[in-house]
Each structure stands twice: as C-alpha cells, then as structure tokens.
Amino acid sequence: MKYDFSAIESKWQKKWDEARIFCAEDHSEKPKFYGLVEFPYPSGVGMHVGHIKAYSGLEVIGRKRRMQGYNVLFPIGFDAFGLPTENSAIKTGIHPRQLTDRNIEKFSSQLRRVGFSFDWERVIDTTEEDYYKWTQFIFLKMFEKGLAFRDTAMVNYCPHCKVVLSNEDSQGGKCDICHSDIVQKSKDVWYLRITEYADKLLQGLEGVDYLPNIKMQQVNWIGKSRGAFVNFGLTDTDETLRIYTTRPDTLFGVTFMVIAPEHPIIEKMKDRIENMAEVEAYQTECTKKTEFERTQLVKDKTGVCLKGLCGINPVNGKEIPIYIADYVMMGYGTGAIMAVPAHDERDYDFAKKFGIDIIEVIKGGNIEEAAYTGDGPMVNSDFLNAYDNKADSIAAMIEWLGEKGIGEGGVQFKMKDWAFNRQRYWGEPIPIVHCPSCGMVPVPYEELPLRLPPVTEFEPGQGGESPLAKLDYFVNCKCPKCGGDAKRETDTMPQWAGSSWYFLRYIDPKNGEALADMDKLRYWMPVDWYNGGMEHVTRHLIYSRFWHHFLYDLGLVPTAEPYAKRTAQGLILGPDGEKMSKSRGNVVDPNDVVDDMGADVLRVYILFMGDYGAAAPWSDNSMRGCKRFLERVADLPSLVKGGEVNTKLESSFHKTLKKVNSDIEEMKFNTAIAAMMGLLNEVFEVGSITKDQLSMFVRMLCPFAPHLCEEMWESMGGKGFASLAQWPEYDEAKTIDSTVELAVQINGKVRGKVTLPMNADKDTSLAAVHADEKLFALVDGKTVIKEIVVPNKIINIVVK
C-alpha cells in the first residue's frame, strides 16, 4: 500500500470529525475513563514539540481505552488569561481578546493536524465570560467563608511586569514571566487562605496514585513540622516574643534571638532601643532584597543588635541579646526565632561573626570547630540531662513548657497563603466593591459575571496599579449593600485562577446555571488519569487540589480529590542536548515535521525517542527511522497469505501484544514501539502474514499511528473505524514458547546447542545431544562421569 501520509491524514481527520467518534457521552452504560492533560496557554508562537509529547501519552492511553470499550472523556481547552498576551497587546496595540482568539485558532489547527482524539465539542476558554463567571463564583464563596481576604504585606513584586507574585511564581528570586529580579514591596494584597487546607492536602495524598516524586514535592512544599511555641520575655516589660521551634529540646542552649526587620515589636519598643537609627538603616536595606536573597543559607550574615532591649530565656531566666537579621521573615512562623549556635549551622556562623556565646546541649560533636546537628545525650540542660535522644527530650520539654504556662506543642507549615491578585488588565475581575460604610462587599451572584470593560490602554500605572483603576466608569459604582457611592476592586485574578477548576467545566461546558451538573460530576469524577509537567506540581496541582477540597466541603463536587492518578512527561531537548529556546536556535516546529513526514511519524517518534518521563534530545535520524518503520507497516498487506494460523509467528504476535499492552499502561511507550518494530522484522523474515495477524498488528499500532492504521483497516475490509475496533487480546498460553534452545556444555565448555520441547525431561534432552552429530562425536567412546540437565536452562556432560 502506498503511504501517502498527506492524503491519508486529512481524509481520516475529516471522517473522525464527521462521525463524532471522540465525543464523550454523559451517563453512558459503558465504564468511563476521564483522561486529562494540562490545557495549553495559547501563545502567539503556536505549539512546540513539547506540547506534542505532553499530550501524546494520554492520547495513546485514551485511544486504547476506547478500543477496550470505555466511554472516554479526553478534553482540551485553553488557559488564556495572563501576562504574555497582555504584554503582546501593549507592544502591538491589538486587544488581548483579538490576540487570544487568533492564538486559540492557531493552536486548535495545529492540534487537529496531529490527529489528537480530543472531544472538540467540550472546548473551554478561561477568558470567556460564561467560564470566568464561575471562577468569580468560586472566589465569592471563598470570600464568604473567610478564605479570600485582603492584607497589607511585604510582597514579591516584579518592577518590569508591575505585578505582585506569589512565592511559587517567583522562585529563585526571579519573575516566572519575564525572569527579571523580584523586589520586596509593601502592598495591599488579596490572599487565598490555602494554609487552612494544609492538613487536608497532605492527607489527600494518601489515597491517590501519584508518582513518588510528585507526592514528595507536594509534601515538601506544604512543609508540615511539629514542634513548640515558646514565649520569651523582654527585660523590664510585660511584653513577650513568641517563637516557634522544631527543637524545643535545645532551649537550654539558646544564647540569642533574631527577629525579622519588619517585626512590630521594633516600632512598639523604639523608645527603649538605643540604636534606632542603625536599626532603621538596616530595615531600609532589607526592603531592597528579595525573599530569595534574604533566605539563602550560603551568604554573608548581617544583622543589628537591639541595644537597650534583651530577651529572657524562659527555661533558665538568662538575659540574651536580640538581633534583627534579614534571614528571618515575618511571613514564616512568628517572625522571631530562638538561636542555638551549638547545634544549628546558620546560628553558629552568626554567633561566630558577632561574638555570641555558644553553649553545647547535645553531646557528640566539637563545637569549637562546627555546630553539631546530630543526635546524642543531653548535657547542660538541667532536667533534660536524663535523656539520651532527641525524641524523648522534645516530648519532655513540651510537657514542661505546658506545665509552666510558657509554651505548648504546635504545628507549623512552610506553605504560605496564596497571593491572589495582579495589577493588570487581562485577568478575571475580582468581584468586590469597596464601600466607605460597609467595607468590602461582594458583587451579588446574580450580577456575575463582572465583565472586563473594553480598554485601549493596557499599560499598568507607574505605582503598579491596575489599568482598570484609570476607568472611572468601571471604578465608581453603588454599594450592593447600602446603595451608597463605592468603588470597585481594580486588581484582577492571577492566571492560576482559571486553571484551578477547569477539569470540572469540561464535564458540563455549556451549563449556565451551575459550574457543572452534579449528576454529570458524579458520573465523570474523579479524573482517572492526569498527566502534566513536573514544573506545575507545586503550583497548579496544589492550587487545584485546594479549590477542589473547598468545593467538596461546600457539597458542590462529589469527590474530595480531583485526580485519582498523576503522571508526568520529560522535556524534549534540542538536537544539541540543550533546552529548546529561540535564542539557541534549536527549536523544532511540529508543523514542519507534519509537512515533511506526516503526523503519524511525529506521534510515533515523540514516544519512541526515550523514556516518557525523562528528558531526551531531538534526533532527525531517529525520526527518519520511524518513517521507514511506518512505510514497512504500509507494505504488510502485500504479505497476507490466507486466513489460516501462521505457526511461525503466532507466539511472537501474542508475546508482542502482551508487552505492548502492559507497556502502554506503564507509559513505556518507547519499548512498546520497539517491540512492534521487532515483530515487523520477524514478519518480513518469514515473508508472510495471515489476515488475522495483520488485523491484530493494525489494531495494536492504531493508538500510536491512527491515520495509517485507519487506511489499512479500511483497505482490508474492517468494519467501522480502526479507532473503535476491539482492542486485540493475547492468549497467555501462546506467549509461552513451545520449544527452547539449550546450550550444551561438555567438561565445562559450551560446545553447541540443541532445540527441545519446553520442559523436556532428562532422557529426551540427552537423546537430543546424541542425535546431534557434532556433539555426539565429543562424547562417543568416552566414559561419562556426570550428566546434569536443568530443564529449559542448560545441559552439562562431564566425560573422560
């Protein structure tokens, strides 16, 4: 069969669309399978091959599920709000709405050309009003429950993008969008109280099937720790400094305290602090540093001692100096820490620099040389000296603190509340009105969506305020509660908002009365398999799980967890082995591959290039090898001879199908393709294939190369679509070889091989050796000392 990929692919894509074979059916009696991929941000440059890899894994699994008789929901949509489109609008003067529509059209065309089996009747766009109406609805529900709140805080601010960024969006001290350095700035910020759900997010991980490293990253990001809250007194005052520590067992070794430069106690005690000018100068310097810079372990230790104010160690009554230092943040713990230099490396370095006492309280190291951070017997610790390990010492100290009324056991989380606003135009308007009489008032639900007003100027103000703040007709309004003059909130939501619940909207994308119908949610949820990038497991994945848990608590969704399973794909590197980027000139455009070699070659190569979960470099040579493979597949019909069983290939076919079947489920796509390549080689060596065997091969390959397989299926008289044909089943008995080749050792050296029936007994095995002229000549006329036969393994004969 001639492999005219261009004609074949357009033909079958049209037929699939006309027959609606990839449209999921609500409430079908078939078993359901909901496969989810991370919907793309539709940038102006279009798709890259990384998108193809990201979607190809579940594409194969979803196609296999359809062939296995499942009702498959495999949807696609577009996460289209965000800074890149707005920045492009500022440069070009084209409205973000127009840019977004243009980009979505381009992405959709590219996705269709590759032949993905998405349900195109359920496409969503987070920027459409009938979608973000429900994003605003969820925000208002959080506001009602106290989970959405506004506060003044030092925030991560990108001067280039003029936006506030969450910790997740500014890792490494860089803006996630433009990669500029982040600065600290005091601003009024909207937060979502994700910390309220920290325990639920941790507990939920116990009942889901996530890759171990995905679970671990989530656990580490949430960062739950157990310890104690302890109240340190201040000299000559009733004020206290409350600290949290995971090591209350080391309290007798506390020789100084450190508080954040922003700690409110400084302003409260400024009349007592003798070097206030020095303190204020240090505070000013700290505002110029990002949180990332401030919290780095490997950096010069800086700080200022608060002269005239000391802390009191509550366990021994000793006065200890208090320092302010940039590495202590108000947003972590209580904004104050106790310092035990003998047993903490950062405290040790700080104490050495500032000449502070170092007191050993755990035996085992040499504190003259370095801090000792291991376990051991307690020393210099009064009643704790009776203990020889950390766990018992911590428990005893927490009990003692409680008895004395100066502290108690507690839990803290590393994760902070989610900064949830942007001072930009292209995002969901926050549906809140600020009234001088009533305070913050939610926009009534019946008035949702609060629409983005049309604008021609998208540039944020110099003070970092949203472009919406310039629009008097939008800002000035009436209070929904009292009817008085009020002003609208002008910040918009971050891009993560729309992606925090999109998997629910796919289930009921046109519902105007609810975010999704509950009966449909009960049928489809949870998502059976979610695949995405590792870069999103501490942002999107945590955020969307948080929103889902919240909706579950409201009774709006039927499952506590949204995703039953989560896997990840690796990056596609450039031909030079480096990450693809325009500046390196190593970007591969999938359109070029489809034009030159066809969508099926692209699909097969992307999954054949290496372990799906690992990074792999692009190779044109390997891709050409995949093209030759499909060209040979297209020639298989010429080898068909009769419908009878071809015994030479029967076992190989069933072995290959068994391997492909399991490899797909384990996302070992490269070895599944390699197995089919090996089988193809065997077929051509034998020189013939039965019609049934061709049918099996075509159906087995169909999830990977569906266009070619549909054409072959039609030409061989197959009913309907190959994409909906029954997935072939292997016979376990036929995966076991009927014969086996055994090495024959004579006096410890391999002298030849014999072919035997499986599980042949000793007599049959030795008879085969004697029947082989070459082997028989080596033992003929000699005395046999020993004959060892290990069935299906080896034959060993000792003679002299």
Side-chain angles (χ1 to χ4, degrees), residues 294-559:
R294 286 177 57 172
T295 56
Q296 287 302 288
L297 288 172
V298 183
K299 70 180 184 72
D300 290 337
K301 303 299 181 288
T302 65
V304 174
C305 183
L306 301 183
K307 296 178 181 177
L309 189 66
C310 290
I312 301 173
N313 188 329
V315 298
N316 57 21
K318 291 182 179 179
E319 291 188 10
I320 53 178
I322 301 172
Y323 286 78
I324 62 168
D326 59 2
Y327 69 86
V328 179
M329 308 291 296
M330 275 306 300
Y332 289 100
T334 64
I337 66 166
M338 67 180 209
V340 187
H343 306 291
D344 180 275
E345 292 175 3
R346 180 149 52 184
D347 294 347
Y348 186 90
D349 293 341
F350 195 94
K352 282 291 186 180
K353 178 170 181 175
F354 289 95
I356 305 170
D357 291 343
I358 299 175
I359 299 174
E360 181 185 49
V361 291
I362 302 173
K363 197 171 181 180
N366 182 356
I367 62 170
E368 295 298 323
E369 296 179 356
Y372 174 64
T373 58
D375 205 350
M378 302 300 296
V379 295
N380 301 319
S381 297
D382 198 83
F383 65 91
L384 290 184
N385 290 340
Y387 297 96
D388 62 2
N389 65 85
K390 179 172 72 174
D392 291 342
S393 303
I394 289 174
M397 178 56 82
I398 290 175
E399 183 179 356
W400 186 87
L401 291 169
E403 291 173 355
K404 299 296 182 182
I406 53 177
E408 69 282 337
V411 171
Q412 283 280 82
F413 296 92
K414 177 185 173 185
M415 180 173 67
K416 298 169 73 173
D417 286 325
W418 175 8
F420 194 74
N421 57 329
R422 299 287 184 270
Q423 296 71 42
R424 299 300 292 256
Y425 170 73
W426 196 232
E428 300 92 340
I430 293 177
I432 295 292
V433 169
H434 298 277
C435 174
S437 300
C438 306
M440 290 187 292
V441 181
V443 172
Y445 288 106
E446 61 270 18
E447 293 182 15
L448 298 180
L450 174 61
R451 293 174 173 84
L452 267 178
V455 300
T456 55
E457 296 291 332
F458 315 108
E459 186 77 42
Q462 289 305 309
E465 73 273 9
S466 165
L468 297 179
K470 305 171 188 175
L471 307 177
D472 290 341
Y473 70 90
F474 176 79
V475 174
N476 297 321
C477 63
K478 296 296 181 181
C479 172
K481 191 172 182 181
C482 71
D485 290 342
K487 294 185 180 297
R488 292 193 190 281
E489 173 62 58
T490 58
D491 284 356
T492 53
M493 299 185 199
Q495 185 181 344
W496 303 106
S499 64
S500 291
W501 71 282
Y502 75 113
F503 49 91
L504 298 172
R505 192 62 176 175
Y506 282 139
I507 290 171
D508 200 6
K510 296 176 176 62
N511 193 326
E513 304 302 318
L515 54 85
D517 176 77
M518 180 57 85
D519 286 339
K520 292 180 181 179
L521 289 170
R522 288 193 185 99
Y523 176 78
W524 285 112
M525 290 299 288
V527 172
D528 294 288
W529 197 329
Y530 189 12
N531 187 77
M534 285 300 296
E535 69 273 17
H536 291 145
V537 303
T538 56
R539 290 185 284 186
H540 159 67
L541 198 61
I542 284 182
Y543 293 161
S544 59
R545 291 183 59 229
F546 161 48
W547 278 43
H548 195 80
H549 273 277
F550 171 71
L551 293 173
Y552 179 72
D553 287 347
L554 293 184
L556 297 178
V557 295
T559 63

Side-chain angles (χ1 to χ4, degrees), residues 58-313:
L58 276 182
E59 159 75 356
V60 167
I61 291 163
R63 281 182 174 272
K64 177 172 178 270
R65 289 288 188 276
R66 282 192 200 90
M67 297 174 74
Q68 290 175 313
Y70 283 79
N71 179 30
V72 174
L73 173 55
F74 187 45
I76 192 65
F78 299 95
D79 187 14
F81 272 132
L83 287 171
T85 298
E86 185 169 338
N87 289 338
S88 180
I90 292 170
K91 289 179 183 177
T92 63
I94 303 173
H95 195 280
R97 174 76 275 155
Q98 291 176 263
L99 289 173
T100 296
D101 291 343
R102 183 188 303 171
N103 296 345
I104 286 176
E105 185 178 349
K106 183 175 183 178
F107 260 69
S108 298
S109 173
Q110 291 175 309
L111 290 168
R112 286 179 180 274
R113 284 197 72 195
V114 181
F116 285 114
S117 60
F118 293 127
D119 184 343
W120 288 100
E121 295 183 8
R122 295 178 184 252
V123 173
I124 59 174
D125 168 4
T126 59
T127 68
E128 292 287 349
E129 292 173 359
D130 60 356
Y131 183 91
Y132 72 71
K133 166 185 177 178
W134 299 105
T135 308
Q136 292 173 334
F137 169 89
I138 298 169
F139 177 87
L140 289 183
K141 289 294 182 184
M142 289 191 169
F143 182 76
E144 286 177 7
K145 298 295 183 181
L147 293 179
F149 66 100
R150 195 170 173 85
D151 196 11
T152 301
M154 296 297 293
V155 296
N156 306 310
Y157 183 76
C158 175
H160 181 266
C161 294
K162 297 184 175 66
V163 292
V164 174
L165 297 170
S166 68
N167 278 0
E168 293 89 340
D169 292 332
S170 55
Q171 297 182 58
K174 300 286 185 181
C175 172
D176 201 43
I177 302 297
C178 70
H179 309 295
S180 299
D181 289 336
I182 299 303
V183 299
Q184 292 286 295
K185 188 170 184 176
S186 179
K187 285 188 75 71
D188 286 339
V189 179
W190 278 100
Y191 288 99
L192 295 189
R193 211 181 300 273
I194 191 172
T195 51
E196 286 288 314
Y197 276 75
D199 272 323
K200 287 185 177 180
L201 292 172
L202 284 173
Q203 292 162 7
L205 292 173
E206 297 173 6
V208 293
D209 180 15
Y210 289 4
L211 291 176
N213 57 339
I214 291 177
K215 280 191 179 183
M216 185 56 63
Q217 285 198 39
Q218 293 230 325
V219 168
N220 291 342
W221 189 264
I222 295 168
K224 182 175 183 177
S225 65
R226 298 185 182 278
F229 290 96
V230 187
N231 299 319
F232 281 70
L234 297 177
T235 51
D236 302 321
T237 177
D238 292 334
E239 296 287 341
T240 60
L241 274 176
R242 186 168 174 81
I243 64 97
Y244 173 79
T245 177
T246 59
R247 296 299 305 272
D249 55 318
T250 63
L251 269 162
F252 283 99
V254 174
T255 58
F256 65 103
M257 300 183 75
V258 183
I259 63 176
E262 305 84 9
H263 200 291
I265 199 72
I266 298 172
E267 179 64 22
K268 202 169 188 179
M269 294 284 132
K270 64 181 180 181
D271 293 338
R272 289 271 309 274
I273 299 172
E274 299 168 3
N275 57 333
M276 198 61 197
E278 184 184 8
V279 169
E280 289 173 342
Y282 186 80
Q283 289 174 316
T284 301
E285 285 300 309
C286 289
T287 63
K288 300 175 184 177
K289 299 179 182 180
T290 68
E291 182 173 328
F292 177 76
E293 290 171 329
R294 286 177 57 172
T295 56
Q296 287 302 288
L297 288 172
V298 183
K299 70 180 184 72
D300 290 337
K301 303 299 181 288
T302 65
V304 174
C305 183
L306 301 183
K307 296 178 181 177
L309 189 66
C310 290
I312 301 173
N313 188 329

Side-chain angles (χ1 to χ4, degrees), residues 749-762:
K749 291 185 178 181
V750 175
R751 297 296 188 179
K753 295 179 180 179
V754 294
T755 300
L756 295 166
M758 285 292 291
N759 303 314
D761 59 21
K762 185 174 181 178

